[in-house]
Amino acid sequence: MTEEQKTSGEEAGRQQEQEGKPSSGSAFEGIYDRLPDISVKAVDRFIVLCIIALAAVIVIGVLRAQHII
């Protein structure tokens, strides 16, 4: 194998790695495309439940800090 063939092989490998990586855009870009077996409604409900749980934890923490609970 010549040096030129090795170099072109390495470049092709790097291009394939870069194509597999997500773009440097939003962290949530294409998130639904990566979840083929889960419906969008189910993911949205999960996100809403996580937000509600986080709000509840914050409220409980504030109430405990104020010695109300």
Side-chain angles (χ1 to χ4, degrees):
M1 202 182 248
T2 66
E3 189 66 34
E4 187 177 318
Q5 289 174 335
K6 289 180 183 177
T7 305
S8 65
E10 290 175 2
E11 289 175 5
R14 287 188 198 122
Q15 287 177 350
Q16 288 177 348
E17 287 177 8
Q18 289 176 351
E19 290 173 0
K21 293 180 182 177
S23 65
S24 60
S26 172
F28 300 104
E29 185 176 322
I31 191 168
Y32 292 123
D33 296 336
R34 294 187 208 127
L35 302 170
D37 296 334
I38 302 173
S39 70
V40 174
K41 285 185 179 181
V43 175
D44 288 341
R45 288 179 185 152
F46 176 74
I47 292 170
V48 169
L49 287 174
C50 288
I51 292 170
I52 291 170
L54 179 62
V57 167
I58 291 171
V59 168
I60 291 171
V62 168
L63 293 175
R64 292 188 94 190
Q66 298 296 325
H67 302 292
I68 295 174
I69 295 179

